[in-house]
Amino acid sequence: VYKRQYQDTLTYYATKALIYDLKGDSERARAYYDSSAAFAEERIDRGEENPAVYSQLAQARAFLGDREGATAAINKAVSIMPMSRDALAGADVLMNRAITNTMLGNQDAAIADLEYLLEVPSNLSPAWLRQHPGFDSLRDNPRFQQLMQGKLNS
């Protein structure tokens, strides 16, 4: 039997929100993002300093239209887990910042993080960028097209 790691209420709501968002069902996505934000805020209020919680809060707030809240949450995640502290975990947090910035329409900021992640050891690859539906809004951007082709400006 396959068991998912980190399966909890927050991850459940965040995953359902993302699925409905990608399916184009914004009404259901909004409901799950709202629940995701509420559970993330509850964990933060209890004193949990976890970059994954702040990342999920950032994406929920971005979808819900709270630009300032999303930016504050993702910046908190980066400050908790910078790449200088843990290169792999920090890279995951930067990926979440790129996704959050994409959701907010901050293409230049999102692409800057993606460029950096392709230059250092990380789980990101041009093939992954070509497949990930979360970056669909970047597909017409020439800088993003270069990243998908594996061509970085040096």
PDB file of all heavy atoms in Angstrom, residues 23-61:
ATOM      1  N   LYS A  23      -7.616  22.294 -12.699  1.00  0.00           N
ATOM      2  CA  LYS A  23      -8.754  21.841 -13.497  1.00  0.00           C
ATOM      3  C   LYS A  23      -9.635  22.996 -13.965  1.00  0.00           C
ATOM      4  O   LYS A  23     -10.544  22.805 -14.759  1.00  0.00           O
ATOM      5  CB  LYS A  23      -9.602  20.849 -12.689  1.00  0.00           C
ATOM      6  CG  LYS A  23      -8.956  19.495 -12.498  1.00  0.00           C
ATOM      7  CD  LYS A  23      -9.774  18.601 -11.590  1.00  0.00           C
ATOM      8  CE  LYS A  23     -11.060  18.184 -12.257  1.00  0.00           C
ATOM      9  NZ  LYS A  23     -11.805  17.182 -11.484  1.00  0.00           N
ATOM     10  N   GLY A  24      -9.356  24.199 -13.457  1.00  0.00           N
ATOM     11  CA  GLY A  24     -10.145  25.360 -13.841  1.00  0.00           C
ATOM     12  C   GLY A  24     -11.423  25.538 -13.040  1.00  0.00           C
ATOM     13  O   GLY A  24     -12.275  26.353 -13.401  1.00  0.00           O
ATOM     14  N   ASP A  25     -11.565  24.817 -11.952  1.00  0.00           N
ATOM     15  CA  ASP A  25     -12.749  24.933 -11.093  1.00  0.00           C
ATOM     16  C   ASP A  25     -12.430  25.907  -9.963  1.00  0.00           C
ATOM     17  O   ASP A  25     -12.103  25.536  -8.850  1.00  0.00           O
ATOM     18  CB  ASP A  25     -13.127  23.557 -10.542  1.00  0.00           C
ATOM     19  CG  ASP A  25     -14.437  23.548  -9.778  1.00  0.00           C
ATOM     20  OD1 ASP A  25     -14.909  24.631  -9.358  1.00  0.00           O
ATOM     21  OD2 ASP A  25     -14.999  22.445  -9.591  1.00  0.00           O
ATOM     22  N   SER A  26     -12.493  27.225 -10.293  1.00  0.00           N
ATOM     23  CA  SER A  26     -12.078  28.215  -9.309  1.00  0.00           C
ATOM     24  C   SER A  26     -12.961  28.283  -8.080  1.00  0.00           C
ATOM     25  O   SER A  26     -12.475  28.655  -7.026  1.00  0.00           O
ATOM     26  CB  SER A  26     -11.944  29.608  -9.894  1.00  0.00           C
ATOM     27  OG  SER A  26     -12.518  29.787 -11.079  1.00  0.00           O
ATOM     28  N   GLU A  27     -14.208  27.927  -8.206  1.00  0.00           N
ATOM     29  CA  GLU A  27     -15.094  27.969  -7.025  1.00  0.00           C
ATOM     30  C   GLU A  27     -14.634  26.958  -5.976  1.00  0.00           C
ATOM     31  O   GLU A  27     -14.494  27.290  -4.793  1.00  0.00           O
ATOM     32  CB  GLU A  27     -16.536  27.687  -7.443  1.00  0.00           C
ATOM     33  CG  GLU A  27     -17.525  27.833  -6.295  1.00  0.00           C
ATOM     34  CD  GLU A  27     -18.965  27.617  -6.751  1.00  0.00           C
ATOM     35  OE1 GLU A  27     -19.300  27.974  -7.898  1.00  0.00           O
ATOM     36  OE2 GLU A  27     -19.731  27.074  -5.941  1.00  0.00           O
ATOM     37  N   ARG A  28     -14.408  25.727  -6.412  1.00  0.00           N
ATOM     38  CA  ARG A  28     -13.926  24.714  -5.461  1.00  0.00           C
ATOM     39  C   ARG A  28     -12.502  25.023  -5.016  1.00  0.00           C
ATOM     40  O   ARG A  28     -12.150  24.818  -3.851  1.00  0.00           O
ATOM     41  CB  ARG A  28     -14.007  23.322  -6.074  1.00  0.00           C
ATOM     42  CG  ARG A  28     -15.411  22.792  -6.101  1.00  0.00           C
ATOM     43  CD  ARG A  28     -15.422  21.311  -6.430  1.00  0.00           C
ATOM     44  NE  ARG A  28     -16.764  20.796  -6.357  1.00  0.00           N
ATOM     45  CZ  ARG A  28     -17.326  20.060  -7.286  1.00  0.00           C
ATOM     46  NH1 ARG A  28     -16.662  19.730  -8.371  1.00  0.00           N
ATOM     47  NH2 ARG A  28     -18.562  19.635  -7.140  1.00  0.00           N
ATOM     48  N   ALA A  29     -11.669  25.490  -5.942  1.00  0.00           N
ATOM     49  CA  ALA A  29     -10.289  25.846  -5.579  1.00  0.00           C
ATOM     50  C   ALA A  29     -10.297  26.909  -4.494  1.00  0.00           C
ATOM     51  O   ALA A  29      -9.546  26.810  -3.513  1.00  0.00           O
ATOM     52  CB  ALA A  29      -9.525  26.334  -6.805  1.00  0.00           C
ATOM     53  N   ARG A  30     -11.147  27.916  -4.639  1.00  0.00           N
ATOM     54  CA  ARG A  30     -11.228  28.990  -3.645  1.00  0.00           C
ATOM     55  C   ARG A  30     -11.599  28.425  -2.271  1.00  0.00           C
ATOM     56  O   ARG A  30     -11.011  28.800  -1.256  1.00  0.00           O
ATOM     57  CB  ARG A  30     -12.249  30.038  -4.082  1.00  0.00           C
ATOM     58  CG  ARG A  30     -12.420  31.169  -3.077  1.00  0.00           C
ATOM     59  CD  ARG A  30     -13.260  32.308  -3.643  1.00  0.00           C
ATOM     60  NE  ARG A  30     -12.650  32.929  -4.803  1.00  0.00           N
ATOM     61  CZ  ARG A  30     -11.613  33.761  -4.777  1.00  0.00           C
ATOM     62  NH1 ARG A  30     -11.057  34.059  -3.623  1.00  0.00           N
ATOM     63  NH2 ARG A  30     -11.117  34.277  -5.872  1.00  0.00           N
ATOM     64  N   ALA A  31     -12.554  27.519  -2.231  1.00  0.00           N
ATOM     65  CA  ALA A  31     -12.970  26.929  -0.953  1.00  0.00           C
ATOM     66  C   ALA A  31     -11.810  26.176  -0.299  1.00  0.00           C
ATOM     67  O   ALA A  31     -11.566  26.319   0.908  1.00  0.00           O
ATOM     68  CB  ALA A  31     -14.158  25.993  -1.165  1.00  0.00           C
ATOM     69  N   TYR A  32     -11.072  25.399  -1.093  1.00  0.00           N
ATOM     70  CA  TYR A  32      -9.955  24.639  -0.523  1.00  0.00           C
ATOM     71  C   TYR A  32      -8.766  25.536  -0.178  1.00  0.00           C
ATOM     72  O   TYR A  32      -8.089  25.309   0.823  1.00  0.00           O
ATOM     73  CB  TYR A  32      -9.541  23.498  -1.451  1.00  0.00           C
ATOM     74  CG  TYR A  32     -10.469  22.312  -1.346  1.00  0.00           C
ATOM     75  CD1 TYR A  32     -11.420  22.046  -2.318  1.00  0.00           C
ATOM     76  CD2 TYR A  32     -10.406  21.464  -0.244  1.00  0.00           C
ATOM     77  CE1 TYR A  32     -12.278  20.960  -2.216  1.00  0.00           C
ATOM     78  CE2 TYR A  32     -11.262  20.375  -0.122  1.00  0.00           C
ATOM     79  CZ  TYR A  32     -12.194  20.130  -1.117  1.00  0.00           C
ATOM     80  OH  TYR A  32     -13.030  19.060  -0.989  1.00  0.00           O
ATOM     81  N   TYR A  33      -8.505  26.550  -0.997  1.00  0.00           N
ATOM     82  CA  TYR A  33      -7.429  27.485  -0.645  1.00  0.00           C
ATOM     83  C   TYR A  33      -7.783  28.236   0.637  1.00  0.00           C
ATOM     84  O   TYR A  33      -6.915  28.495   1.464  1.00  0.00           O
ATOM     85  CB  TYR A  33      -7.149  28.480  -1.776  1.00  0.00           C
ATOM     86  CG  TYR A  33      -6.193  27.965  -2.830  1.00  0.00           C
ATOM     87  CD1 TYR A  33      -6.577  27.910  -4.164  1.00  0.00           C
ATOM     88  CD2 TYR A  33      -4.901  27.559  -2.503  1.00  0.00           C
ATOM     89  CE1 TYR A  33      -5.699  27.457  -5.142  1.00  0.00           C
ATOM     90  CE2 TYR A  33      -4.020  27.108  -3.466  1.00  0.00           C
ATOM     91  CZ  TYR A  33      -4.426  27.048  -4.789  1.00  0.00           C
ATOM     92  OH  TYR A  33      -3.548  26.604  -5.746  1.00  0.00           O
ATOM     93  N   ASP A  34      -9.052  28.584   0.809  1.00  0.00           N
ATOM     94  CA  ASP A  34      -9.480  29.258   2.030  1.00  0.00           C
ATOM     95  C   ASP A  34      -9.249  28.355   3.247  1.00  0.00           C
ATOM     96  O   ASP A  34      -8.732  28.804   4.276  1.00  0.00           O
ATOM     97  CB  ASP A  34     -10.953  29.659   1.910  1.00  0.00           C
ATOM     98  CG  ASP A  34     -11.401  30.533   3.055  1.00  0.00           C
ATOM     99  OD1 ASP A  34     -10.785  31.591   3.280  1.00  0.00           O
ATOM    100  OD2 ASP A  34     -12.374  30.145   3.739  1.00  0.00           O
ATOM    101  N   SER A  35      -9.610  27.078   3.109  1.00  0.00           N
ATOM    102  CA  SER A  35      -9.375  26.128   4.204  1.00  0.00           C
ATOM    103  C   SER A  35      -7.883  25.925   4.445  1.00  0.00           C
ATOM    104  O   SER A  35      -7.436  25.854   5.595  1.00  0.00           O
ATOM    105  CB  SER A  35     -10.038  24.788   3.890  1.00  0.00           C
ATOM    106  OG  SER A  35     -11.438  24.936   3.836  1.00  0.00           O
ATOM    107  N   SER A  36      -7.114  25.849   3.365  1.00  0.00           N
ATOM    108  CA  SER A  36      -5.668  25.697   3.483  1.00  0.00           C
ATOM    109  C   SER A  36      -5.070  26.873   4.248  1.00  0.00           C
ATOM    110  O   SER A  36      -4.243  26.691   5.153  1.00  0.00           O
ATOM    111  CB  SER A  36      -5.047  25.591   2.083  1.00  0.00           C
ATOM    112  OG  SER A  36      -3.651  25.519   2.148  1.00  0.00           O
ATOM    113  N   ALA A  37      -5.480  28.083   3.902  1.00  0.00           N
ATOM    114  CA  ALA A  37      -4.974  29.273   4.598  1.00  0.00           C
ATOM    115  C   ALA A  37      -5.344  29.233   6.077  1.00  0.00           C
ATOM    116  O   ALA A  37      -4.504  29.532   6.940  1.00  0.00           O
ATOM    117  CB  ALA A  37      -5.517  30.542   3.944  1.00  0.00           C
ATOM    118  N   ALA A  38      -6.572  28.843   6.376  1.00  0.00           N
ATOM    119  CA  ALA A  38      -7.021  28.791   7.774  1.00  0.00           C
ATOM    120  C   ALA A  38      -6.190  27.789   8.580  1.00  0.00           C
ATOM    121  O   ALA A  38      -5.767  28.093   9.707  1.00  0.00           O
ATOM    122  CB  ALA A  38      -8.503  28.433   7.840  1.00  0.00           C
ATOM    123  N   PHE A  39      -5.936  26.612   8.014  1.00  0.00           N
ATOM    124  CA  PHE A  39      -5.143  25.611   8.734  1.00  0.00           C
ATOM    125  C   PHE A  39      -3.692  26.039   8.867  1.00  0.00           C
ATOM    126  O   PHE A  39      -3.065  25.805   9.898  1.00  0.00           O
ATOM    127  CB  PHE A  39      -5.254  24.242   8.057  1.00  0.00           C
ATOM    128  CG  PHE A  39      -6.450  23.463   8.521  1.00  0.00           C
ATOM    129  CD1 PHE A  39      -7.664  23.591   7.879  1.00  0.00           C
ATOM    130  CD2 PHE A  39      -6.364  22.620   9.618  1.00  0.00           C
ATOM    131  CE1 PHE A  39      -8.777  22.899   8.304  1.00  0.00           C
ATOM    132  CE2 PHE A  39      -7.468  21.913  10.055  1.00  0.00           C
ATOM    133  CZ  PHE A  39      -8.689  22.054   9.401  1.00  0.00           C
ATOM    134  N   ALA A  40      -3.137  26.677   7.832  1.00  0.00           N
ATOM    135  CA  ALA A  40      -1.752  27.165   7.912  1.00  0.00           C
ATOM    136  C   ALA A  40      -1.644  28.235   8.995  1.00  0.00           C
ATOM    137  O   ALA A  40      -0.712  28.209   9.811  1.00  0.00           O
ATOM    138  CB  ALA A  40      -1.310  27.714   6.562  1.00  0.00           C
ATOM    139  N   GLU A  41      -2.590  29.168   9.013  1.00  0.00           N
ATOM    140  CA  GLU A  41      -2.565  30.235  10.020  1.00  0.00           C
ATOM    141  C   GLU A  41      -2.694  29.662  11.433  1.00  0.00           C
ATOM    142  O   GLU A  41      -2.037  30.138  12.366  1.00  0.00           O
ATOM    143  CB  GLU A  41      -3.666  31.247   9.738  1.00  0.00           C
ATOM    144  CG  GLU A  41      -3.367  32.085   8.503  1.00  0.00           C
ATOM    145  CD  GLU A  41      -4.557  32.846   7.968  1.00  0.00           C
ATOM    146  OE1 GLU A  41      -5.690  32.655   8.485  1.00  0.00           O
ATOM    147  OE2 GLU A  41      -4.357  33.622   7.024  1.00  0.00           O
ATOM    148  N   GLU A  42      -3.513  28.628  11.577  1.00  0.00           N
ATOM    149  CA  GLU A  42      -3.669  27.992  12.889  1.00  0.00           C
ATOM    150  C   GLU A  42      -2.346  27.385  13.350  1.00  0.00           C
ATOM    151  O   GLU A  42      -1.943  27.545  14.512  1.00  0.00           O
ATOM    152  CB  GLU A  42      -4.744  26.902  12.815  1.00  0.00           C
ATOM    153  CG  GLU A  42      -4.971  26.154  14.105  1.00  0.00           C
ATOM    154  CD  GLU A  42      -6.001  25.048  13.937  1.00  0.00           C
ATOM    155  OE1 GLU A  42      -7.102  25.342  13.443  1.00  0.00           O
ATOM    156  OE2 GLU A  42      -5.676  23.897  14.295  1.00  0.00           O
ATOM    157  N   ARG A  43      -1.633  26.715  12.449  1.00  0.00           N
ATOM    158  CA  ARG A  43      -0.351  26.114  12.815  1.00  0.00           C
ATOM    159  C   ARG A  43       0.682  27.189  13.142  1.00  0.00           C
ATOM    160  O   ARG A  43       1.475  27.032  14.070  1.00  0.00           O
ATOM    161  CB  ARG A  43       0.128  25.184  11.697  1.00  0.00           C
ATOM    162  CG  ARG A  43      -0.717  23.907  11.654  1.00  0.00           C
ATOM    163  CD  ARG A  43      -0.403  23.018  10.502  1.00  0.00           C
ATOM    164  NE  ARG A  43       0.948  22.470  10.547  1.00  0.00           N
ATOM    165  CZ  ARG A  43       1.374  21.562   9.677  1.00  0.00           C
ATOM    166  NH1 ARG A  43       0.574  21.096   8.731  1.00  0.00           N
ATOM    167  NH2 ARG A  43       2.610  21.114   9.753  1.00  0.00           N
ATOM    168  N   ILE A  44       0.663  28.275  12.388  1.00  0.00           N
ATOM    169  CA  ILE A  44       1.593  29.373  12.651  1.00  0.00           C
ATOM    170  C   ILE A  44       1.269  30.021  13.998  1.00  0.00           C
ATOM    171  O   ILE A  44       2.162  30.331  14.780  1.00  0.00           O
ATOM    172  CB  ILE A  44       1.555  30.395  11.491  1.00  0.00           C
ATOM    173  CG1 ILE A  44       2.193  29.764  10.246  1.00  0.00           C
ATOM    174  CG2 ILE A  44       2.245  31.693  11.882  1.00  0.00           C
ATOM    175  CD1 ILE A  44       1.916  30.512   8.960  1.00  0.00           C
ATOM    176  N   ASP A  45      -0.017  30.203  14.275  1.00  0.00           N
ATOM    177  CA  ASP A  45      -0.437  30.779  15.561  1.00  0.00           C
ATOM    178  C   ASP A  45       0.002  29.909  16.740  1.00  0.00           C
ATOM    179  O   ASP A  45       0.221  30.421  17.836  1.00  0.00           O
ATOM    180  CB  ASP A  45      -1.956  30.976  15.603  1.00  0.00           C
ATOM    181  CG  ASP A  45      -2.429  32.123  14.729  1.00  0.00           C
ATOM    182  OD1 ASP A  45      -1.584  32.930  14.276  1.00  0.00           O
ATOM    183  OD2 ASP A  45      -3.648  32.191  14.463  1.00  0.00           O
ATOM    184  N   ARG A  46       0.123  28.598  16.506  1.00  0.00           N
ATOM    185  CA  ARG A  46       0.592  27.687  17.561  1.00  0.00           C
ATOM    186  C   ARG A  46       2.114  27.719  17.683  1.00  0.00           C
ATOM    187  O   ARG A  46       2.679  26.994  18.493  1.00  0.00           O
ATOM    188  CB  ARG A  46       0.141  26.256  17.260  1.00  0.00           C
ATOM    189  CG  ARG A  46      -1.337  26.028  17.461  1.00  0.00           C
ATOM    190  CD  ARG A  46      -1.689  24.541  17.475  1.00  0.00           C
ATOM    191  NE  ARG A  46      -1.013  23.751  16.462  1.00  0.00           N
ATOM    192  CZ  ARG A  46      -1.615  23.122  15.454  1.00  0.00           C
ATOM    193  NH1 ARG A  46      -2.921  23.195  15.314  1.00  0.00           N
ATOM    194  NH2 ARG A  46      -0.916  22.414  14.601  1.00  0.00           N
ATOM    195  N   GLY A  47       2.772  28.541  16.862  1.00  0.00           N
ATOM    196  CA  GLY A  47       4.214  28.694  16.964  1.00  0.00           C
ATOM    197  C   GLY A  47       5.033  27.835  16.025  1.00  0.00           C
ATOM    198  O   GLY A  47       6.247  27.750  16.176  1.00  0.00           O
ATOM    199  N   GLU A  48       4.391  27.208  15.058  1.00  0.00           N
ATOM    200  CA  GLU A  48       5.128  26.350  14.129  1.00  0.00           C
ATOM    201  C   GLU A  48       5.901  27.201  13.127  1.00  0.00           C
ATOM    202  O   GLU A  48       5.329  28.009  12.413  1.00  0.00           O
ATOM    203  CB  GLU A  48       4.157  25.417  13.399  1.00  0.00           C
ATOM    204  CG  GLU A  48       4.866  24.345  12.617  1.00  0.00           C
ATOM    205  CD  GLU A  48       3.923  23.261  12.137  1.00  0.00           C
ATOM    206  OE1 GLU A  48       2.871  23.038  12.767  1.00  0.00           O
ATOM    207  OE2 GLU A  48       4.256  22.635  11.127  1.00  0.00           O
ATOM    208  N   GLU A  49       7.203  27.029  13.105  1.00  0.00           N
ATOM    209  CA  GLU A  49       8.082  27.757  12.174  1.00  0.00           C
ATOM    210  C   GLU A  49       8.541  26.772  11.102  1.00  0.00           C
ATOM    211  O   GLU A  49       9.663  26.290  11.127  1.00  0.00           O
ATOM    212  CB  GLU A  49       9.277  28.353  12.925  1.00  0.00           C
ATOM    213  CG  GLU A  49       8.907  29.495  13.835  1.00  0.00           C
ATOM    214  CD  GLU A  49       8.539  30.756  13.059  1.00  0.00           C
ATOM    215  OE1 GLU A  49       9.339  31.206  12.229  1.00  0.00           O
ATOM    216  OE2 GLU A  49       7.440  31.283  13.293  1.00  0.00           O
ATOM    217  N   ASN A  50       7.669  26.479  10.181  1.00  0.00           N
ATOM    218  CA  ASN A  50       7.921  25.479   9.154  1.00  0.00           C
ATOM    219  C   ASN A  50       7.800  26.138   7.780  1.00  0.00           C
ATOM    220  O   ASN A  50       6.750  26.707   7.467  1.00  0.00           O
ATOM    221  CB  ASN A  50       6.893  24.355   9.310  1.00  0.00           C
ATOM    222  CG  ASN A  50       7.069  23.236   8.325  1.00  0.00           C
ATOM    223  OD1 ASN A  50       7.467  23.439   7.189  1.00  0.00           O
ATOM    224  ND2 ASN A  50       6.746  22.034   8.767  1.00  0.00           N
ATOM    225  N   PRO A  51       8.858  26.084   6.942  1.00  0.00           N
ATOM    226  CA  PRO A  51       8.773  26.751   5.643  1.00  0.00           C
ATOM    227  C   PRO A  51       7.678  26.185   4.741  1.00  0.00           C
ATOM    228  O   PRO A  51       7.095  26.922   3.946  1.00  0.00           O
ATOM    229  CB  PRO A  51      10.168  26.543   5.036  1.00  0.00           C
ATOM    230  CG  PRO A  51      10.770  25.418   5.786  1.00  0.00           C
ATOM    231  CD  PRO A  51      10.154  25.432   7.149  1.00  0.00           C
ATOM    232  N   ALA A  52       7.362  24.904   4.884  1.00  0.00           N
ATOM    233  CA  ALA A  52       6.297  24.316   4.070  1.00  0.00           C
ATOM    234  C   ALA A  52       4.938  24.929   4.425  1.00  0.00           C
ATOM    235  O   ALA A  52       4.109  25.181   3.549  1.00  0.00           O
ATOM    236  CB  ALA A  52       6.262  22.802   4.237  1.00  0.00           C
ATOM    237  N   VAL A  53       4.715  25.180   5.695  1.00  0.00           N
ATOM    238  CA  VAL A  53       3.448  25.791   6.137  1.00  0.00           C
ATOM    239  C   VAL A  53       3.333  27.207   5.575  1.00  0.00           C
ATOM    240  O   VAL A  53       2.306  27.601   5.037  1.00  0.00           O
ATOM    241  CB  VAL A  53       3.337  25.781   7.674  1.00  0.00           C
ATOM    242  CG1 VAL A  53       2.125  26.591   8.137  1.00  0.00           C
ATOM    243  CG2 VAL A  53       3.263  24.354   8.191  1.00  0.00           C
ATOM    244  N   TYR A  54       4.422  27.964   5.672  1.00  0.00           N
ATOM    245  CA  TYR A  54       4.410  29.324   5.126  1.00  0.00           C
ATOM    246  C   TYR A  54       4.273  29.313   3.604  1.00  0.00           C
ATOM    247  O   TYR A  54       3.599  30.177   3.025  1.00  0.00           O
ATOM    248  CB  TYR A  54       5.665  30.093   5.547  1.00  0.00           C
ATOM    249  CG  TYR A  54       5.581  30.637   6.947  1.00  0.00           C
ATOM    250  CD1 TYR A  54       6.180  29.971   8.004  1.00  0.00           C
ATOM    251  CD2 TYR A  54       4.885  31.815   7.221  1.00  0.00           C
ATOM    252  CE1 TYR A  54       6.100  30.462   9.295  1.00  0.00           C
ATOM    253  CE2 TYR A  54       4.804  32.318   8.508  1.00  0.00           C
ATOM    254  CZ  TYR A  54       5.412  31.632   9.539  1.00  0.00           C
ATOM    255  OH  TYR A  54       5.324  32.128  10.817  1.00  0.00           O
ATOM    256  N   SER A  55       4.871  28.333   2.934  1.00  0.00           N
ATOM    257  CA  SER A  55       4.745  28.231   1.476  1.00  0.00           C
ATOM    258  C   SER A  55       3.305  27.938   1.075  1.00  0.00           C
ATOM    259  O   SER A  55       2.780  28.527   0.130  1.00  0.00           O
ATOM    260  CB  SER A  55       5.668  27.132   0.939  1.00  0.00           C
ATOM    261  OG  SER A  55       7.012  27.476   1.104  1.00  0.00           O
ATOM    262  N   GLN A  56       2.667  27.026   1.796  1.00  0.00           N
ATOM    263  CA  GLN A  56       1.278  26.711   1.483  1.00  0.00           C
ATOM    264  C   GLN A  56       0.373  27.903   1.774  1.00  0.00           C
ATOM    265  O   GLN A  56      -0.568  28.185   1.018  1.00  0.00           O
ATOM    266  CB  GLN A  56       0.831  25.456   2.243  1.00  0.00           C
ATOM    267  CG  GLN A  56       1.497  24.218   1.681  1.00  0.00           C
ATOM    268  CD  GLN A  56       1.246  22.970   2.508  1.00  0.00           C
ATOM    269  OE1 GLN A  56       1.034  23.026   3.722  1.00  0.00           O
ATOM    270  NE2 GLN A  56       1.285  21.826   1.856  1.00  0.00           N
ATOM    271  N   LEU A  57       0.659  28.623   2.848  1.00  0.00           N
ATOM    272  CA  LEU A  57      -0.101  29.839   3.153  1.00  0.00           C
ATOM    273  C   LEU A  57       0.087  30.866   2.038  1.00  0.00           C
ATOM    274  O   LEU A  57      -0.874  31.508   1.610  1.00  0.00           O
ATOM    275  CB  LEU A  57       0.329  30.417   4.502  1.00  0.00           C
ATOM    276  CG  LEU A  57      -0.332  31.735   4.903  1.00  0.00           C
ATOM    277  CD1 LEU A  57      -1.855  31.595   4.986  1.00  0.00           C
ATOM    278  CD2 LEU A  57       0.241  32.228   6.222  1.00  0.00           C
ATOM    279  N   ALA A  58       1.315  31.021   1.566  1.00  0.00           N
ATOM    280  CA  ALA A  58       1.593  31.992   0.502  1.00  0.00           C
ATOM    281  C   ALA A  58       0.794  31.676  -0.758  1.00  0.00           C
ATOM    282  O   ALA A  58       0.191  32.578  -1.360  1.00  0.00           O
ATOM    283  CB  ALA A  58       3.093  32.002   0.182  1.00  0.00           C
ATOM    284  N   GLN A  59       0.767  30.414  -1.150  1.00  0.00           N
ATOM    285  CA  GLN A  59       0.044  30.057  -2.367  1.00  0.00           C
ATOM    286  C   GLN A  59      -1.466  30.218  -2.181  1.00  0.00           C
ATOM    287  O   GLN A  59      -2.161  30.667  -3.097  1.00  0.00           O
ATOM    288  CB  GLN A  59       0.437  28.659  -2.814  1.00  0.00           C
ATOM    289  CG  GLN A  59       1.863  28.652  -3.332  1.00  0.00           C
ATOM    290  CD  GLN A  59       2.412  27.289  -3.648  1.00  0.00           C
ATOM    291  OE1 GLN A  59       1.666  26.352  -3.865  1.00  0.00           O
ATOM    292  NE2 GLN A  59       3.731  27.185  -3.673  1.00  0.00           N
ATOM    293  N   ALA A  60      -1.955  29.910  -1.004  1.00  0.00           N
ATOM    294  CA  ALA A  60      -3.383  30.109  -0.742  1.00  0.00           C
ATOM    295  C   ALA A  60      -3.733  31.595  -0.807  1.00  0.00           C
ATOM    296  O   ALA A  60      -4.707  31.991  -1.464  1.00  0.00           O
ATOM    297  CB  ALA A  60      -3.760  29.534   0.626  1.00  0.00           C
ATOM    298  N   ARG A  61      -2.922  32.413  -0.149  1.00  0.00           N
ATOM    299  CA  ARG A  61      -3.193  33.854  -0.160  1.00  0.00           C
ATOM    300  C   ARG A  61      -3.048  34.439  -1.564  1.00  0.00           C
ATOM    301  O   ARG A  61      -3.788  35.349  -1.940  1.00  0.00           O
ATOM    302  CB  ARG A  61      -2.279  34.568   0.824  1.00  0.00           C
ATOM    303  CG  ARG A  61      -2.685  34.289   2.258  1.00  0.00           C
ATOM    304  CD  ARG A  61      -1.930  35.120   3.233  1.00  0.00           C
ATOM    305  NE  ARG A  61      -2.442  34.896   4.580  1.00  0.00           N
ATOM    306  CZ  ARG A  61      -1.976  35.503   5.634  1.00  0.00           C
ATOM    307  NH1 ARG A  61      -1.008  36.387   5.523  1.00  0.00           N
ATOM    308  NH2 ARG A  61      -2.479  35.245   6.820  1.00  0.00           N
TER     309      ARG A  61
END
